[in-house]
Amino acid sequence: AYGDIFPATGVEMEAPVSVFSVVWTPEGKIVYEQVGAVIDRFEGNTQGKAAVFGLLHTAGLKLNANPGDAVFGLIQRIGHFLGGRGRSWSKEEDIPEWWSSKSRGADDTDEW
């Protein structure tokens, strides 16, 4: 749970190969960054989790942090409402008009 302290496990994280991507404007401004798209979820010892979720998994915090997970989406929204704990996605007013997806954070993908 949030705020819990987990003792060191001594387990070394073996992350699956992941793809990272960035989209820039012609002016060189980053407008989208995606991290941790796993290529082979059976590789490594994180049960297919990459980036921070792989680290948390290795530390002993087993989150179901997959797109479409309602509980994870609720946790993200509560964190945004409370404020001061970072963001999982941009504020609506900061998202450019050309961005068509309405999915945010752990929301299910709406593009297909």
Side-chain angles (χ1 to χ4, degrees), residues 9-84:
T9 64
V11 176
E12 184 174 316
M13 179 177 153
E14 297 172 25
V17 173
S18 305
V19 175
F20 297 76
S21 63
V22 179
V23 177
W24 287 273
T25 65
E27 297 78 34
K29 180 180 179 183
I30 294 175
V31 294
Y32 179 74
E33 181 180 13
Q34 176 275 326
V35 298
V38 173
I39 305 257
D40 181 357
R41 64 190 175 107
F42 300 108
E43 184 178 55
N45 64 353
T46 63
Q47 295 182 343
K49 296 177 178 81
V52 70
F53 297 109
L55 291 169
L56 292 171
H57 181 89
T58 305
L61 184 58
K62 312 295 188 205
L63 294 174
N64 182 14
N66 300 309
D69 182 78
V71 173
F72 188 52
L74 178 64
I75 290 169
Q76 288 180 330
R77 283 173 169 73
I78 290 170
H80 285 197
F81 176 76
L82 295 175

Side-chain angles (χ1 to χ4, degrees), residues 87-108:
R87 295 192 59 84
S88 300
W89 62 87
S90 299
K91 294 178 181 177
E92 292 299 317
E93 61 268 20
D94 294 334
I95 298 174
E97 290 182 25
W98 55 262
W99 187 259
S100 61
S101 175
K102 299 301 177 199
S103 294
R104 303 290 183 261
D107 290 350
D108 212 1

